[in-house]
Amino acid sequence: MKNVFPRIFVLFGIWTLGTFRVSGQDNVESKIVASIDLTMMANDKVPVTIDPDTLDNDLIVYRLPKVIQGTYAIGDYGRFIEQFKAFDYEGNELLVLQKDVNSWEIQNAHNLDKIQYWVNDTFDIERSGAPNIPLSPSGTNIEPDNYILNLHGFVGYFDSLKNSPYELDITTPVDFKNTSALQYVTKELSADGKKTTLKYIASRYFDLTDNPMMFGDLEIEKFKVGHIDFELGVYSPHKIYSANKIKKSLLQMLKAQVTYLRNFKGAKNYSIIVYLSDGKDESPKGFGGLEHNTSTVVIMPEYWEETKLYTIMFDMMAHEFFHIVTPMTVHSEDIHYFDYNNPTFSKHLWLYEGVTEYFSKLFKVDQNLISKEDFYDEMAYKIKDSKKFNDALSFTTMSENILTEKFKVNYPNVYRKGALIAMCLDILMREESHGKRSLLSLIKELSEKYGKNDPFMDDELITDITQMTYLSIGSFMEKHVVGSQPINYQDYLDKVGLIIQDGAIKPIDNPEPSKLQLRNIWLNKNTVKTTLIENVNVIPMNEEVVLEHQDVLIKNGKIMDIHPTDTMASKVPIDLRIDGTDKYLIPGLSEMHYHWRNNDRNIATDFKLLLANGITTARNMGEYEGQDHIAIRDKVKMGQILGPNYYTTGPYLQADKLQTVEDAIKVVQQQKDRGYDFIKIGDGRDIAKEVYLKLLEEAQRLKIPVIGHAQHNLPLEYSLRMKSIEHVEEFIYIFNTSEDFKYLNHDLDFLNAIAKQIKDSGIYVAPTLVIFEMITQYLDAEKFTELKANGLAKYLPKEDAAYWLSDENHYRANFVTGADKIDLGMEPLDFFKSYFKWMKTFTKILSDHEVPMLSGSDTFGMVVPGFSLHKEFEFLQEVGWTPYQILRSSTIVPARYLDVLASEGTISEGKNANLVLLNKNPLEDIGNTKSIEGVMLKGTWFSRDKLDTMLLEVEMSND
């Protein structure tokens, strides 16, 4: 048992993973049907029926487990069986002799039709004082609204039929929910509609007991992390904790674990069963967890406050989940052929529990969940705590005899010294291989050699490991694992430039470079200076072409070389290699109309959304009260905030700030002095002509570009004096009047002439179609319903999403549901659709005339940053732009606009390494820009797993 917190235990699951080996047993395939009827619960007991196929034996023994895997304690689950009876095919009782607390001998077994008995639960008597009561995670619960079915407490086995397949039928009230890693194959409703019977199939007894179940008034959350499908079931009697909240508390950790394992394929699905105790006298008190092959049962107190509960559960699940590596895929014969009645135990608890515990600590620092100092503290604590136990004790001897009193008291040291053994082995592996191998890579090799269905011989494992690795590994294990020699941990920490000082682990001042390098490799803190993206298809964007099978060399944030794969050996050491096979490399994308709308949310959170969507350049289009985008821009440049190349305007300039010519002179000087990249005009109607012209004149003199909304009351030519016009919608307002806002000019000759004038002026245009189309989604009842369900609201602050997805949304209030509807002279939805149709038409005309266009989405309302740019791309493709034209609007054109084409916008030697790696060719379909495998920002690589972690962090920040 593992002490995690006072009275909190993790029960180690040494699992039975293969076919049971029973002396003299044939490979029998007789089916056994087990039925549990939860609707018949009485006095905290439920009836169980066992119906085997016809038996040839005159005498047969039926057992419930004496010991189950992982508890290292006698459970005697037969104690909880009452009224055990066996019946023949005529309904007559057969003679039954109870041999011991767990075993029943049945006479005339060839006539056996079925066995019936009642099962009492363990939760109610957990603290009764009776000996050997199973702790909660390995126990059973029978309550009107909750059933914990650790099936070893309900269903037994026949000695001679352990290999037989099982059918399990569970009857429940129709409103019950259920969770288990074992999926039911059929679901039948009773004739009266009040009951449901679920049928499960297990290939053998182990598969049945390896899949705990929970039924009742539950909440279920299903989600995917990497290649693993997770199901989380939560019972919280007072509804204090929801499955969704617990999922979010665990998701970041699970993603980090899957990433750390680096495509280890140990499990395809995983179930987490969480029971929260209300603290009553009859409620469970043995808090902790018990892991199985592909599931974990967690029992915790509901009355703990969130931080405490989530912290303990985080650490517990960090350990439990890593058991998908060992013993699931690396285990001995003692585990593979586990005997529930008379078990023997493997010598290698250091592997099953020590290595697992070590990984549960190392992955946190590897994946940046904790600091190096936090990791050092964890290991220093284990060194100190391990001294409370017998340090001169053979670990293999202890493991093999763990049930005896002499050795059982040292079991907690499995999680202290066992993890330290793993740490020393890891450091040795890295030292011997010059950083190319590790303990994790060794465990993966062992998994390949043995695997789930091929156990190793207990006495041969250390010899096998030595042959697979180095003599130093074998020597260490003979001395400190098989032998009883205590470990001098300083000898191993010295190899990575660390020292034990006053009970703490600290870095040595000025360590040897080789030791510092080994430490950085060990903790995954190596600074990547040189990256090679190999065998990738490059879309350089200086022309419409795909350069197939290229190697792209990046050093210190710059593209140093591009050449065909296998034509040139690298002349510099490569820190990171990225496989680009069958993938496409494009320049980083540009969001040229970004807004930070909510000061309550850190802008770094928004930046994660941008980066996760391949955006490496952003132009902020307004500074609201309480914001300081100059400071943000500077912090991004200095690396204090992780964010895209950042440019910003100042506050919107409205007519109230521009009443006179003097105002214009003053405002331009102020914004120039502040250091904004642009001046933005946000008022298209009420600025006087002379003030507007003075603003342009002063801005030109001070060399700060003016951008923004068009001047609706002036001829087009006046607006074309700016550097860019934001929103193609603005041209509507120039061509119509405030008295006739329904008017839309569809004269193609006129529109083409206007487009030529715009082209000749040299101005840039940002269409921002997605923000206007969003209005139609607010107004269209069907689309509004779809908008609520599209899954992107989780990336917005809760209060923002709640407003925009309600009838309080001012578009719905003004045009759909409000008492003071604005009269547009036609149906509001038709009005906005007509505008949007015209905007798409004119956007295509502008493109046909080669007006330089900028990609931007105007991140406002339900236009979610990052994701919205890809939606803008889709609209531009609908308009008739080619994928190449769309990509130009987000790469080379913004680079030219921002005067950084010398270093940005294309993939070429000497350019900054702001890149997006795609799984599909975006020149075939612009939607393929969403198939992001990774993003490089200023030479730093963010893998798909890292990007997913960023998205999760954004989602969690909104709670």
Side-chain angles (χ1 to χ4, degrees):
M1 296 176 189
K2 176 188 175 186
N3 270 315
V4 181
F5 197 81
R7 303 189 77 178
I8 297 200
F9 304 96
V10 173
L11 305 179
F12 159 42
I14 293 191
W15 313 324
T16 314
L17 288 146
T19 304
F20 290 85
R21 182 176 61 186
V22 180
S23 178
Q25 177 182 321
D26 294 328
N27 191 18
V28 181
E29 287 296 322
S30 299
K31 182 174 74 170
I32 299 169
V33 179
S35 303
I36 305 173
D37 193 340
L38 305 184
T39 68
M40 297 292 291
M41 187 268 284
N43 298 320
D44 284 354
K45 303 169 190 175
V46 294
V48 175
T49 300
I50 305 297
D51 184 1
D53 283 344
T54 303
L55 303 174
D56 296 330
N57 314 56
D58 286 330
L59 191 69
I60 196 166
V61 176
Y62 180 80
R63 302 184 193 273
L64 268 80
K66 174 183 178 180
V67 177
I68 63 164
Q69 311 96 304
T71 57
Y72 286 105
I74 294 172
D76 283 339
Y77 287 89
R79 287 179 293 167
F80 306 100
I81 304 303
E82 300 178 8
Q83 301 179 49
F84 187 99
K85 296 179 181 180
F87 298 91
D88 65 17
Y89 293 99
E90 301 296 325
N92 302 309
E93 283 195 45
L94 295 172
L95 181 61
V96 175
L97 175 64
Q98 186 165 3
K99 297 183 64 178
D100 56 46
V101 70
N102 301 303
S103 308
W104 292 264
E105 184 180 85
I106 302 171
Q107 307 287 333
N108 298 317
H110 58 277
N111 289 326
L112 177 64
D113 177 28
K114 61 186 176 183
I115 298 169
Q116 291 182 335
Y117 51 83
W118 288 77
V119 176
N120 201 347
D121 68 348
T122 70
F123 278 17
D124 292 351
I125 57 174
E126 192 173 270
R127 297 301 180 195
S128 65
N132 298 324
I133 298 296
L135 285 174
S136 311
S138 61
T140 58
N141 187 46
I142 299 172
E143 298 175 26
D145 64 344
N146 179 269
Y147 294 80
I148 297 285
L149 304 188
N150 272 307
L151 289 165
H152 51 252
F154 291 85
V155 180
Y157 60 91
F158 297 99
D159 273 345
S160 57
L161 299 175
K162 288 182 179 177
N163 288 341
S164 296
Y166 275 72
E167 174 187 315
L168 175 65
D169 298 330
I170 299 181
T171 301
T172 76
V174 72
D175 59 345
F176 268 20
K177 294 181 180 178
N178 64 90
T179 183
S180 175
L182 187 65
Q183 301 298 304
Y184 60 81
V185 293
T186 64
K187 181 177 182 179
E188 295 182 5
L189 188 64
S190 63
D192 62 6
K194 295 181 178 180
K195 302 178 183 179
T196 300
T197 298
L198 305 177
K199 178 184 291 186
Y200 301 84
I201 301 296
S203 63
R204 57 197 188 278
Y205 184 67
F206 161 71
D207 288 331
L208 195 70
T209 59
D210 187 49
N211 287 284
M213 301 176 174
M214 183 164 67
F215 290 80
D217 181 16
L218 317 177
E219 287 191 7
I220 308 293
E221 284 280 337
K222 296 182 180 182
F223 53 98
K224 193 177 187 73
V225 178
H227 64 281
I228 303 175
D229 290 310
F230 284 86
E231 181 172 288
L232 169 67
V234 175
Y235 173 71
S236 179
H238 297 105
K239 308 300 182 186
I240 296 174
Y241 291 95
S242 67
N244 184 260
K245 277 192 173 183
I246 292 177
K247 177 192 79 170
K248 289 181 178 180
S249 76
L250 295 176
L251 252 179
Q252 184 180 18
M253 176 198 70
L254 293 171
K255 284 179 178 286
Q257 287 183 290
V258 171
T259 301
Y260 172 74
L261 290 176
R262 293 172 177 86
N263 299 316
F264 180 79
K265 303 295 184 183
K268 294 181 179 179
N269 64 296
Y270 199 90
S271 173
I272 303 171
I273 296 173
V274 178
Y275 176 100
L276 299 178
S277 170
D278 60 12
K280 294 179 181 177
D281 290 342
E282 66 274 14
S283 299
K285 306 295 190 302
F287 305 133
L290 176 64
E291 81 280 0
H292 299 259
N293 247 332
T294 55
S295 59
T296 291
V297 177
V298 176
I299 311 294
M300 300 285 278
E302 186 187 41
Y303 47 84
W304 276 0
E305 53 89 18
E306 279 192 7
T307 301
K308 183 177 181 179
L309 182 77
Y310 292 156
T311 299
I312 299 295
M313 193 179 297
F314 184 103
D315 285 340
M316 185 184 302
M317 281 305 305
H319 178 95
E320 306 300 347
F321 179 71
F322 274 128
H323 280 302
I324 68 170
V325 180
T326 180
M328 180 177 175
T329 66
V330 184
H331 54 268
S332 72
E333 288 188 313
D334 298 271
I335 294 174
H336 205 72
Y337 305 115
F338 189 80
D339 188 333
Y340 291 91
N341 188 50
N342 187 27
T344 59
F345 294 97
S346 171
K347 297 178 178 180
H348 299 293
L349 271 177
W350 69 270
L351 171 64
Y352 312 131
E353 285 299 305
V355 169
T356 298
E357 176 69 3
Y358 171 67
F359 285 162
S360 77
K361 304 304 179 186
L362 181 65
F363 95 95
K364 295 178 187 177
V365 66
D366 182 281
Q367 294 295 304
N368 298 310
L369 298 182
I370 63 173
S371 68
K372 291 182 291 185
E373 291 71 25
D374 289 338
F375 176 70
Y376 299 155
D377 289 346
E378 294 254 24
M379 303 317 290
Y381 167 78
K382 289 187 182 296
I383 292 173
K384 179 182 178 181
D385 216 41
S386 70
K387 303 303 182 183
K388 298 176 181 177
F389 303 92
N390 186 349
D391 199 30
L393 185 66
S394 163
F395 236 69
T396 54
T397 301
M398 179 189 71
S399 300
E400 197 171 25
N401 299 281
I402 198 64
L403 279 187
T404 65
E405 288 300 321
K406 176 182 177 181
F407 296 103
K408 185 164 60 174
V409 294
N410 286 282
Y411 175 73
N413 207 21
V414 169
Y415 301 93
R416 282 78 167 173
K417 187 174 181 179
L420 295 168
I421 288 170
M423 179 189 75
C424 295
L425 288 171
D426 197 15
I427 292 172
L428 272 176
M429 285 289 295
R430 295 172 191 272
E431 180 189 45
E432 291 280 13
S433 66
H434 304 289
K436 294 180 180 178
R437 298 177 74 190
S438 65
L439 181 60
L440 179 59
S441 70
L442 171 60
I443 298 300
K444 288 182 177 180
E445 291 171 34
L446 289 169
S447 178
E448 289 290 324
K449 179 180 176 69
Y450 299 110
K452 181 178 178 179
N453 298 312
D454 189 8
F456 59 76
M457 300 289 289
D458 235 33
D459 293 335
E460 297 177 2
L461 177 64
I462 291 177
T463 299
D464 285 354
I465 288 175
T466 304
Q467 291 174 350
M468 294 169 67
T469 57
Y470 311 99
L471 292 176
S472 62
I473 297 292
S475 175
F476 174 90
M477 299 191 77
E478 288 296 337
K479 289 179 184 178
H480 305 300
V481 181
V482 178
S484 57
Q485 181 178 330
I487 302 170
N488 183 351
Y489 298 108
Q490 184 59 65
D491 289 346
Y492 299 91
L493 293 172
D494 182 66
K495 297 176 186 292
V496 289
L498 297 174
I499 188 171
I500 302 173
Q501 194 174 73
D502 299 327
I505 296 175
K506 299 178 180 179
I508 296 171
D509 292 336
N510 302 314
E512 297 173 25
S514 61
K515 292 182 178 181
L516 179 59
Q517 182 182 26
L518 191 64
R519 186 205 305 167
N520 287 334
I521 293 172
W522 174 41
L523 303 180
N524 193 24
K525 302 303 175 190
N526 222 19
T527 302
V528 175
K529 294 183 177 179
T530 307
T531 301
L532 185 66
I533 305 176
E534 300 176 294
N535 195 32
V536 70
N537 301 310
V538 175
I539 301 175
M541 290 310 299
N542 58 338
E543 59 178 319
E544 188 171 2
V545 66
V546 178
L547 306 176
E548 298 182 341
H549 307 297
Q550 301 290 305
D551 285 356
V552 180
L553 179 66
I554 295 108
K555 184 176 182 181
N556 295 326
K558 293 280 188 181
I559 299 171
M560 300 300 295
D561 187 34
I562 304 172
H563 59 261
T565 301
D566 296 331
T567 61
M568 186 185 305
S570 175
K571 298 178 181 179
V572 296
I574 304 301
D575 299 317
L576 175 65
R577 294 178 184 271
I578 300 168
D579 184 7
T581 303
D582 297 328
K583 295 178 174 59
Y584 296 83
L585 193 67
I586 63 172
L589 303 173
S590 302
E591 171 55 90
M592 297 297 285
H593 204 116
Y594 166 75
H595 286 284
W596 178 28
R597 297 286 184 177
N598 191 325
N599 294 6
D600 292 335
R601 176 154 93 172
N602 193 313
I603 196 169
T605 302
D606 266 17
F607 286 167
K608 290 175 183 178
L609 293 176
L610 298 181
L611 188 56
N613 281 280
I615 295 166
T616 60
T617 295
R619 182 182 60 150
N620 175 61
M621 293 301 290
E623 183 174 85
Y624 303 121
E625 185 176 351
Q627 297 181 352
D628 185 347
H629 287 274
I630 298 298
I632 291 167
R633 184 190 64 194
D634 293 346
K635 287 179 179 179
V636 169
K637 284 183 179 179
M638 291 185 291
Q640 295 173 357
I641 297 177
L642 176 63
N645 298 313
Y646 199 65
Y647 302 85
T648 185
T649 72
Y652 279 3
L653 291 185
Q654 305 281 4
D656 62 338
K657 300 293 185 183
L658 294 171
Q659 294 293 310
T660 66
V661 167
E662 289 73 23
D663 289 341
I665 296 171
K666 180 181 177 181
V667 165
V668 172
Q669 187 65 57
Q670 288 175 338
Q671 297 217 4
K672 175 67 176 181
D673 292 344
R674 277 282 290 142
Y676 297 114
D677 300 296
F678 305 95
I679 291 174
K680 180 181 179 182
I681 295 177
D683 189 330
R685 289 194 176 275
D686 298 323
I687 299 174
K689 180 171 71 172
E690 63 274 15
V691 176
Y692 171 71
L693 293 177
K694 176 54 72 172
L695 183 107
L696 294 177
E697 180 184 331
E698 283 298 299
Q700 178 176 291
R701 184 176 68 83
L702 295 178
K703 296 183 172 55
I704 179 169
V706 178
I707 64 176
H709 294 197
Q711 294 303 297
H712 306 167
N713 298 327
L714 296 174
L716 173 62
E717 183 272 329
Y718 285 83
S719 296
L720 298 182
R721 301 182 190 186
M722 295 191 294
K723 182 163 186 173
S724 60
I725 289 179
E726 311 307 318
H727 318 297
V728 73
E729 167 193 357
E730 288 294 303
F731 294 102
I732 295 176
Y733 309 132
I734 296 174
F735 303 153
N736 70 10
T737 67
S738 58
E739 290 76 25
D740 187 12
F741 46 72
K742 291 187 295 180
Y743 171 75
L744 294 169
N745 193 323
H746 296 289
D747 184 336
L748 293 180
D749 290 338
F750 170 80
L751 295 179
N752 277 284
I754 289 294
K756 183 179 184 304
Q757 182 183 355
I758 295 169
K759 164 65 177 174
D760 291 344
S761 75
I763 199 169
Y764 293 75
V765 176
T768 65
L769 298 175
V770 66
I771 184 66
F772 199 91
E773 190 275 342
M774 183 58 68
I775 300 173
T776 69
Q777 293 192 52
Y778 297 144
L779 303 183
D780 185 307
E782 183 176 340
K783 286 187 176 180
F784 192 58
T785 300
E786 293 172 358
L787 183 63
K788 293 178 180 180
N790 74 2
L792 292 180
K794 62 187 177 184
Y795 298 120
L796 292 176
K798 277 190 173 180
E799 62 274 17
D800 288 5
Y803 170 76
W804 289 105
L805 295 177
S806 74
D807 285 341
E808 294 179 9
N809 167 335
H810 62 264
Y811 287 105
R812 291 185 62 77
N814 289 341
F815 298 115
V816 178
T817 62
D820 300 321
K821 292 184 184 178
I822 297 172
D823 184 9
L824 297 172
M826 60 191 298
E827 283 297 317
L829 180 58
D830 293 336
F831 174 86
F832 285 104
K833 279 184 174 181
S834 69
Y835 265 46
F836 186 58
K837 182 178 179 181
W838 187 95
M839 291 163 60
K840 290 198 293 182
T841 298
F842 195 55
T843 298
K844 177 63 165 66
I845 291 172
L846 291 173
S847 176
D848 290 344
H849 284 267
E850 299 182 347
V851 172
M853 309 292 275
L854 301 170
S855 64
S857 59
D858 197 0
T859 53
F860 180 73
M862 287 305 297
V863 178
V864 181
F867 297 94
S868 57
L869 187 67
H870 297 280
K871 191 64 179 177
E872 180 77 6
F873 289 172
E874 291 178 20
F875 288 134
L876 293 174
Q877 186 164 259
E878 285 180 14
V879 163
W881 289 20
T882 68
Y884 181 67
Q885 288 175 315
I886 298 168
L887 288 175
R888 277 181 55 83
S889 76
S890 202
T891 55
I892 191 170
V893 176
R896 176 71 72 188
Y897 174 87
L898 296 167
D899 295 324
V900 293
L901 189 57
S903 57
E904 301 284 350
T906 63
I907 300 177
S908 183
E909 290 181 20
K911 294 273 183 132
N912 293 335
N914 295 310
L915 306 165
V916 184
L917 187 62
L918 303 173
N919 286 306
K920 298 177 183 179
N921 186 352
L923 296 181
E924 294 179 354
D925 184 342
I926 201 62
N928 291 338
T929 56
K930 292 183 288 188
S931 66
I932 297 173
E933 179 66 19
V935 175
M936 180 167 281
L937 178 66
K938 303 168 189 174
T940 298
W941 175 247
F942 298 90
S943 67
R944 180 68 261 172
D945 287 329
K946 180 60 179 174
L947 299 177
D948 286 341
T949 298
M950 288 182 180
L951 292 176
L952 175 62
E953 289 168 351
V954 174
E955 181 181 350
M956 293 174 66
S957 74
N958 294 326
D959 286 341

